[in-house]
Amino acid sequence: MNIVDFHHVAIICSNYAISKDFYMNILGFKVKNEVYRKERESYKLDLIKGSMVIELFSFNNVPKRLSYPEGAGLRHLAFKTMDIENDHKCLSSKGIKVENIRVDEFTGKKFFFFFDPDNLPLEIYE
């Protein structure tokens, strides 16, 4: 195996316009490519920020993601930051409900959680 990095993270959203706005205007991702797939009546949006790529998919009538209780599978998506206090204030000032900043008991690094429009747990980690 010659795996060297993640290529992208794929997210299915329930409301394309709301999620597109969130990832672009709240988290600061930019459009790399956007395609409407007529046969599926869905969008595929490639968003980029630095080396991070998110594929945002829209489909009709998607089931809700269970967070409580958590199910098997991907638990959350974590973003690395250089200024966690600033990011916490920035998200709060934009009306995003954020958890308190905590300290990871094993690494000593600060982190906090918040949610995207479909309740996908997102983490900011120092």
Side-chain angles (χ1 to χ4, degrees):
M1 298 295 298
N2 293 304
I3 296 172
V4 295
D5 203 351
F6 283 100
H7 185 267
H8 67 269
V9 174
I11 298 172
I12 297 172
C13 64
S14 63
N15 185 307
Y16 182 70
I18 290 173
S19 291
K20 180 180 177 181
D21 179 71
F22 176 83
Y23 283 97
M24 291 181 67
N25 296 319
I26 301 295
L27 298 185
F29 281 80
K30 304 292 181 202
V31 174
K32 180 179 177 185
N33 190 44
E34 184 174 33
V35 177
Y36 181 72
R37 301 175 306 174
K38 187 176 180 179
E39 70 281 359
R40 295 183 181 188
E41 296 181 11
S42 72
Y43 282 93
K44 179 188 180 286
L45 175 64
D46 296 323
L47 297 165
I48 191 163
K49 184 172 185 172
S51 65
M52 298 178 291
V53 176
I54 291 177
E55 286 182 342
L56 187 64
F57 291 92
S58 69
F59 296 107
N60 293 321
N61 303 313
V62 295
K64 293 208 179 282
R65 178 190 192 281
L66 293 178
S67 290
Y68 301 101
E70 289 184 312
L74 184 65
R75 186 173 188 190
H76 63 265
L77 174 59
F79 298 103
K80 183 178 180 179
T81 186
M82 301 307 285
D83 189 343
I84 198 158
E85 285 82 7
N86 180 69
D87 292 348
H88 192 269
K89 288 177 192 172
C90 181
L91 287 169
S92 294
S93 73
K94 294 180 179 184
I96 304 299
K97 183 180 174 187
V98 294
E99 293 183 356
N100 292 331
I101 295 173
R102 297 182 277 170
V103 176
D104 185 312
E105 64 182 293
F106 300 106
T107 66
K109 301 287 186 181
K110 295 177 184 177
F111 69 96
F112 68 89
F113 282 92
F114 62 106
F115 295 88
D116 86 347
D118 286 304
N119 280 331
L120 173 66
L122 302 174
E123 179 182 20
I124 302 291
Y125 197 92
E126 144 180 280

